């Protein structure tokens, strides 16, 4: 059936992506360049599960290392996919896609220099996030965010980056993090306050609780809500209604998403 075919296709494609990730990691290790693995692949490598189809590999590089990682990818045969948005707003771009064909599959690396656009209302401390990052499988050059920063990143990705579009995969990942990892909830809420992401984290956890009945400490939710703007929480609730379970989007949905995408950029500026 279709689901079974998709499952085996996903396993095969993931094996190709993992081979390419290993090749890049070895090259970066030789140059002593660290990168942080982001999103689904970060959880896949840390949890060791193929629980979701992975469309690409997202990596975060320090600003000073960004050109060096670009060079390594190009030497591996990858080409920049410079979209119209990237060409028009190059100075504001936070990531660049690199693409090539390998073993009959299209392999896509997205190289990030930051998690959010330059003009934003957040207060992310990237140096702290790098300092608190963990090595993956003993490799200090391939890293992942600490548990608390992972939750914050997925919340940002769900709401700020994707405006709730196809939210279910991100909510599943948040659920996995809560269930599989020992979260320091006091540390998480303090970080959310410092990073000014309380509304986004609160609403992401609220949705995850509502859909999957995962347990989030009441004190943590109360603390996040206390430090959130009521009007922002009300707005987020309005935007995500009836959208989480949508799998296919028509033209009207797509145009609406583009408007919401721009709206959230300006709202959190």
């Amino acid at each position: 059936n279709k689901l079974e075919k998709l499952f085996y296709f996903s396993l095969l494609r993931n094996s190709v992506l993992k081979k390419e990730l290993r090749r890049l990691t070895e090259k970066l290790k030789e140059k002593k360049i660290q990168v942080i693995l982001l999103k689904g692949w970060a959880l896949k490598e840390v949890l060791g599960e193929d629980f979701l189809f992975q469309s690409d590999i997202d990596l975060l590089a320090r600003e000073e290392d960004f050109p060096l990682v670009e060079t390594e990818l190009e030497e591996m045969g990858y080409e920049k996919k410079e979209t119209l948005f990237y060409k028009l707003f190059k100075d504001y771009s936070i990531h660049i896609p690199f693409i090539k064909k390998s073993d009959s599959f299209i392999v896509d690396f997205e190289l990030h220099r930051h998690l959010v656009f330059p003009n934003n209302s957040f207060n992310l401390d990237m140096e702290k996030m790098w300092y608190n990052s963990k090595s993956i499988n003993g490799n200090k050059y391939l890293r992942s965010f600490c548990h608390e920063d992972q939750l914050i990143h997925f919340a940002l990705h769900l709401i700020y980056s994707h405006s709730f579009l196809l939210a279910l995969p991100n909510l599943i990942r948040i659920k996995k993090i809560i269930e599989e990892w020992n979260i320091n909830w006091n540390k998480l809420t303090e970080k959310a306050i410092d990073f000014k992401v309380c509304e986004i984290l609160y609403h992401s956890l609220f949705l995850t609780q509502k859909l999957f009945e995962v347990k989030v400490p009441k004190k943590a939710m109360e603390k996040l809500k206390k430090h959130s703007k009521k009007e922002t929480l009300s707005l987020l609730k309005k935007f995500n209604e009836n959208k989480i379970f949508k799998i296919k989007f028509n033209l009207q949905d797509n145009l609406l998403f583009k408007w919401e995408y721009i709206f959230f950029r300006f709202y959190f500026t």
Side-chain angles (χ1 to χ4, degrees), residues 56-173:
D56 54 22
I57 299 175
D58 292 84
L59 296 172
L60 174 69
R62 289 186 174 93
E63 188 65 42
E64 62 270 24
D65 292 332
F66 198 87
L68 302 175
V69 183
E70 280 187 281
T71 300
E72 294 299 331
L73 283 166
E74 288 168 348
E75 287 180 358
M76 288 172 63
Y78 286 86
E79 295 181 358
K80 285 183 187 178
K81 185 182 177 183
E82 295 188 345
T83 62
L84 178 61
F85 180 87
Y86 175 77
K87 290 175 181 177
L88 291 175
F89 304 101
K90 189 174 181 179
D91 293 338
Y92 297 94
S93 176
I94 60 173
H95 68 78
I96 305 175
F98 286 83
I99 294 176
K100 83 167 184 179
K101 195 170 185 179
S102 177
D103 296 333
S104 301
F105 290 96
I106 299 297
V107 181
D108 184 351
F109 277 95
E110 285 204 349
L111 182 59
H112 296 246
R113 54 167 39 100
H114 211 297
L115 303 179
V116 292
F117 286 92
N119 297 321
N120 63 80
S121 61
F122 310 122
N123 186 39
L124 296 187
D125 190 330
M126 295 307 299
E127 281 306 310
K128 276 187 180 179
M129 294 178 85
W130 272 97
Y131 180 80
N132 292 320
S133 66
K134 313 286 185 182
S135 62
I136 295 177
N137 299 325
N139 182 354
K140 69 178 183 178
Y141 297 100
L142 183 64
R143 309 185 68 79
S144 66
F145 285 134
C146 69
H147 302 344
E148 293 74 28
D149 288 344
Q150 286 279 20
L151 272 179
I152 288 172
H153 179 226
F154 276 115
L156 281 168
H157 191 62
L158 167 67
I159 297 174
Y160 175 77
S161 300
H162 277 200
S163 310
F164 297 107
L165 182 71
L166 301 179
L168 204 52
N170 281 313
L171 291 172
I172 290 171
R173 286 162 178 156

Side-chain angles (χ1 to χ4, degrees), residues 190-218:
E190 287 299 319
K191 280 192 175 193
I193 294 167
D194 290 342
F195 291 176
K196 297 182 179 179
V197 294
C198 287
E199 296 91 347
I200 281 179
L201 183 58
Y202 173 87
H203 196 65
S204 300
L205 293 174
F206 171 79
L207 288 176
T208 309
Q209 280 186 308
K210 186 176 179 180
L211 287 175
F212 304 114
E213 298 182 354
V214 295
K215 293 181 180 179
V216 177
K218 186 178 179 181

